[in-house]
Amino acid sequence: FAYCKTIERERAREIIKFPVCLHLQGDYYFEYTECDSTGSRWRVAIPQRPGECTGLPDPVQGTECTFSCAAGQFLEMTAQECRPCAAGSYSLGSGIRFDEWDDIPPGFSSLATYLDNSPHEQDGSACNGSSWTAQGSYVESNRDECSVALVYAVHLKKQGFVSFDYQYVDNNVFFEFFIQNDQCQEMEKTGDKKWMKLTGNGEWGNHKVSLQSSTNVLYWRTTGVAVGAKVVKPVLLKNIQIEGVAYMSECLPCKPGMFSNAPGSSSCEPCPRNTYSGRGASSCTPCNISSHYALEGASTCKTRPACSQKDYFQIHSVCDEEGKTQILYKWIEPKICLEESPGAVALPPSGKREPCPPCNPGFYNNNTPTCLPCPQGTYSDGLKECQPCPAGTEPALGYEYMWWNVLPANMKSSCFNVANTKCDDMNGWEVAGDHIRSGAGGSDNDYLILNLKVPGFRLPTSVSGTSGTEVGRITFVFETICSADCELYFMMDTDRRSTSVVESWEGRREKQSYMHIMTKNASVSYTWAFQRTNQAKDVRRYVNDMAKIYSITVMNAVDGRAAACHPCAVESQGPGSACVPCPAGHYIDEKSSRCQECPPNTFLSGHHIYGRAACQHCGPGSHSDQEHRLCFSDCLFTHAEPNQTLQYDFSPLGSIGSIMNGPSFTSKGTKYYHLFNISLCGQEGHGPAVCTDNVTDLSDKDATATAVEAFICQSTIIPSEGRGFKAALSSQPISLADSFLGEGAKEGMNEGACERSERASEKGATVEKSLSGVIARPELFRNPPTSVPDVSFFYRSLQATASCEKGRNTVVTLRCNPEQGAKGEISVPRECPAGTCDGCTFYFLWESSSACPLCTEADYHHVEGVCRAGVQDTVYVWSEPRLCSGGLSLPVKRSVPCEAFGLWLKVGASLGAFCAILLLSLTYYFWKKNKKLEFKYSKLVISANKEAELPAADSCAIMEGEGEEMEDEVLYTKPSLLAKLKAIAKK
C-alpha cells in the first residue's frame, strides 16, 4: 500500500509538470503511418513540441491507402472524414498546385551541375550562382550555359500525374523534364516526354506525364548551349499541379489578389479591376477610384499618378465619308493617371483632317471610304479602278500592303505578357498612314504581336510546270527605334504545327528590307512580335521605343489580289488564247509569247521566265541539268595555261567531307566543337551535306532531329561527358552554302534580270582568287601552294541574317598535295579557327592528291637500259616531284631485241683494223730501208778509220762496185719519212 501511494504521488507530480495534450489548443496533430503490405495504415498523434505534454490519443485504424477526397474538400483527421473547404480557401482533393512564385516553395530545390569538361576543372564555383528564380507568377531558369535543375520530390499513394505550363522559345537552351525514383533511376525514357518542344514568343505550352504510386523525384533541367555572346532566353514555368497524393489534411488559402466566395472551392479567382484582397480572402475590397487604382488580381491599391506623355498614344482615324483622316490621341486603357493632379499633362488636341492614303495595290475605293479587293482576273494599282488583264497576260496575285489606314482583313494585332493579363485587351500595333507601328502596351516587357495569315500559295499558270523550289516569298521593310534592349522577332507557323523564330533583330535598326522564301505550299501564319525590354518593371520607362513596318509584300498568295499583270505563254496568237504552263526549263519568248527552251548550260532562276534574259549562264566550271533548274559540277574542271592544259577530276572529293575544329570553351567552361560538312560538287549525283539539330535522347530509336541540307553546313557539337547526356548533342545547324556562286549580273540586263542573277544558283569553280566580289585568301593558311594552281569553289547562302545582311559566302580551296590521300584533309585558317574571321565569309583549304591535275605524257619520261643477252629494256618513271593524280598511267616496260655489236660499231672496228695493218706495213717497210742506210754508213766509217786520215766529205755519188740496187739510196739529202717516224716513236 505504501508503495502504491508513492507511485500515485509521483504521477501527480508528473501531471503537474507535464499537462495533458489538447488537440484544440494545437498541442499535437494527426498523421498516417506508412502503408503496410495489406494496404492498411494507422492514424497516430504527433506532438508539436515533444516532451511538453502527455496524454496523446491512442493510435486508431486509418483509412485505406488509396482513399482521397474530392476537389474542394479536405480530410479532417479527427473524424477521418472529408469536409468542404471554407470560403477563402481551396483544395484539389488528391492533388497539390504551385501557382505562387514570390519565393521558391518549400520542397523545391535548385541544383546547379558543375561542368567537369571545362579547361579549369579545379574551379568548382563556375556555376554556383546559377539557379531558378521566382518571378511572382512564374519561375525562371538560369540565363547562362550551366546545367541547372529544379527538383521536387513527392510520394504518391496512388497513380497520378504531373502537369505544368511552360514557355520555351530559345533553341540555345536544352530543356528536359524527367522523373527518377528513390534509387536515382530514371523512370521515363520516352523522348517526346523528356525533351520539351519549343513554343512561340508569348505562348504557353502544357506538358503532362503520368506518375507511379511511389516516390517520384521530378527534375526540370535546362542546359544553355549558347556559344556566342548572345544571352539565352530563359525557360518559364508556372501552374505546376501534382495529382495522386491521396489526401489533403487542410485547405490552401487563396493567395493575395485572389478570392473564393463559396465553400468547397477547387480554385480561387482573381479580384476584378480596382479591387484588392489579402491572403485567404472570401471577397475583394473596392479601392477609392478617385485617388487609387488596382489592376486585375491586385493585392493592394496604388495611388494614381499625374498624367504624363507616357499615358497616351496617337492613332489615325478611319477614313470618313469625305475621304479624310486625322491624328487622334487616346489614353492608354485602363487609365490609371489623374488629369487634375499638379503637373499633369492634358491630352493633345486632334490633328487636322487630311486626305486618306490611297488603297493598297489590288484594291479600289469606288468613291467610298472603304477599300474593296479587285475581282478575280483584274488588277489595280490602288489609285485607279480595277481593270481586266490584257490578252497574253495574267494577274500577279499576292498582298502588297504599303498604306496603313486600317488593318487588312487577314491581319490582326494583340498584346501579351507572361506575368499578367493587363494588356490582353489592347492593340499590339497601330496603323499610322504610311506605316504601322507597335502600340503602347501595358508594360515595357509586353509582347506586341502582329499576325498575317496566308492560306496557301499558287504559282502563275506559266510557271506551274517548272521544277523550281520557290512557291512564294514575303518581303517587308522595317525599322526599330529603341533606347533599351528591345527586340523584334519574325516568326512563322506552318500548317498550325508550331511557331518558330525565323529571324530576330536586337536594339536600334535603321530602315531596311528582309525577305524570306517559301519552298513548301502550305498554310502559313507570319508573326511579328516586338518587346521593348525583357526585364519586368512596374514603372513604364520606354514608351517611346517602337518598331515600324512600312510595307509587307507576299507573292503568289492563293487569295491575293493583283497590282499588275505579267506576260504568260499562250497556245496561239489568236484573240482569247488562254495562258498555258511552260515545261520545265522553258522561257516565254517576248515576240511570240510561246515557250522556248533555254540554251545549254543556262538555268532559270526561280519562277521568272519571261524573256531570253531569264536564262542565266552557269558559272565557270559548272553545267545545267536537263530541266535547267540549277547548275552543278560534275567534279571535272579544265584550266588552260600557255604551254599546257590541266584537267582535274574531283570525283574522290565529291562525297561528304567533314572537319570538326576545336575544342572551344564558353565563359562558363562548356566545351563545344564546330562541325562543318561539305558536299563539294552539289546534289547532282552526290548527296547534300546534312547538319542536324538533335535535342532528343539519342538512344531512343524513335528520336527525330531537325536537319539542314546544303552544299556546306555547320552545327555545334556538345560532347556528352560532364553534361548528363548519354550521347553528344548537335545543335544550331545553319546553311553556309545553299547555292553556287555565279558571275553576277550581265551588262544590258534590266533591274529584274539583275535581281534574278543575284539570286542565281550558279556555281563558281576557278583558279582565280576572286569571283563576284568574293575573294579567296590562301594566305590565311600556313601551307604554301605548289606550282600547280589552286582551284577554288565559291558558294553563297542567300538567307540574310541580322549580322550578315547580304547572306553568307564560302570559299573551298582545293590544293594539290601528293602526300595526302585521295580523301585528303580539310583545314580552316589558323587565325580564324571558327572558319571565318567576320562571321559572314568562311574559308576552307582541302589538300588532297585528288586535287592534283590528271596525269599526262608530260608528267613522265623513259629510261633505256643496256643490251643484255640480245634484249634491251625501256622503262617509264614519273617526273619528280609528281604533281598529278589519275589520268594516264605509266606505260609498261618495253623490251626490244638488240645485238652486242652494232653496224656502226662493226664499221668502226673494220676501219680501225685496216688503219692498224696499214700502219704496221709502212712501219716495217721504212724500218727495213733504215737498216740498209745504217749499214752503208757504218761501212763508210770503218773504211775511213783504216786509212788513218780524216774521211773525205761525203759524196752523193755511188761508189763503184756497190751494185745497182743501192743507186737510188744515196740520192736523198733531206730527212726521210722514216726518220720522222722514228723521232715520233722516240717521243
Side-chain angles (χ1 to χ4, degrees), residues 314-622:
Q314 81 172 35
I315 62 172
H316 281 66
S317 66
V318 179
C319 283
D320 55 21
E321 296 180 355
E322 299 179 0
K324 300 288 186 179
T325 183
Q326 63 182 150
I327 296 178
L328 303 178
Y329 296 90
K330 297 179 62 176
W331 294 111
I332 296 177
E333 295 294 339
K335 182 183 177 183
I336 62 175
C337 65
L338 289 177
E339 299 180 61
E340 298 80 8
S341 298
V345 299
L347 198 66
S350 301
K352 65 178 182 178
R353 298 172 68 241
E354 297 177 350
C356 292
C359 295
N360 283 311
F363 291 79
Y364 71 104
N365 58 19
N366 198 20
N367 296 324
T368 62
T370 304
C371 292
L372 302 175
C374 286
Q376 294 293 334
T378 63
Y379 73 98
S380 173
D381 59 359
L383 300 174
K384 302 176 183 179
E385 295 183 358
C386 301
Q387 299 177 2
C389 289
T393 63
E394 60 181 331
L397 298 179
Y399 312 136
E400 190 172 352
Y401 300 140
M402 53 190 301
W403 299 108
W404 304 91
N405 183 252
V406 293
L407 201 62
N410 60 347
M411 299 185 69
K412 65 177 183 178
S413 69
S414 60
C415 181
F416 178 82
N417 193 292
V418 298
N420 55 66
T421 60
K422 62 182 182 179
C423 82
D424 287 357
D425 298 329
M426 299 181 180
N427 287 330
W429 293 70
E430 299 288 347
V431 295
D434 63 343
H435 66 275
I436 183 171
R437 65 176 68 179
S438 56
S443 57
D444 286 340
N445 65 332
D446 290 342
Y447 284 100
L448 306 173
I449 298 172
L450 180 66
N451 180 265
L452 168 63
K453 291 186 177 180
V454 182
F457 299 90
R458 183 175 62 192
L459 295 174
T461 303
S462 298
V463 298
S464 58
T466 61
S467 57
T469 58
E470 179 184 340
V471 298
R473 65 175 57 190
I474 179 172
T475 306
F476 58 92
V477 179
F478 72 98
E479 73 170 328
T480 57
I481 304 173
C482 301
S483 58
D485 56 338
C486 71
E487 188 162 5
L488 175 65
Y489 302 89
F490 174 59
M491 299 174 289
M492 183 177 66
D493 179 8
T494 304
D495 288 335
R496 299 182 179 180
R497 292 181 178 178
S498 62
T499 302
S500 60
V501 177
V502 179
E503 189 57 83
S504 62
W505 299 267
E506 294 182 354
R508 185 182 182 92
R509 294 283 177 167
E510 299 295 333
K511 188 176 180 180
Q512 58 187 275
S513 175
Y514 180 80
M515 178 187 65
H516 180 74
I517 297 176
M518 294 296 300
T519 59
K520 178 183 178 181
N521 188 6
S523 174
V524 181
S525 177
Y526 298 108
T527 301
W528 294 264
F530 179 70
Q531 188 181 38
R532 292 184 174 92
T533 178
N534 58 12
Q535 303 296 327
K537 295 181 174 62
D538 293 335
V539 181
R540 301 186 60 207
R541 300 175 54 188
Y542 309 112
V543 67
N544 293 324
D545 291 4
M546 68 181 69
K548 294 182 179 181
I549 296 179
Y550 293 91
S551 65
I552 300 176
T553 303
V554 180
M555 295 179 58
N556 301 334
V558 67
D559 64 340
R561 304 298 168 177
C565 299
H566 55 72
C568 66
V570 294
E571 293 179 333
S572 64
Q573 295 291 339
S577 181
C579 295
V580 296
C582 284
H586 287 62
Y587 69 95
I588 303 174
D589 184 69
E590 297 176 346
K591 297 180 179 180
S592 63
S593 297
R594 306 292 292 272
C595 299
Q596 300 289 339
E597 184 177 2
C598 284
N601 292 331
T602 62
F603 70 100
L604 288 172
S605 175
H607 299 294
H608 307 275
I609 66 172
Y610 185 72
R612 172 62 178 79
C615 300
Q616 301 293 307
H617 289 280
C618 291
S622 61

Side-chain angles (χ1 to χ4, degrees), residues 639-645:
H639 171 60
E641 291 188 344
N643 298 327
Q644 62 178 337
T645 299

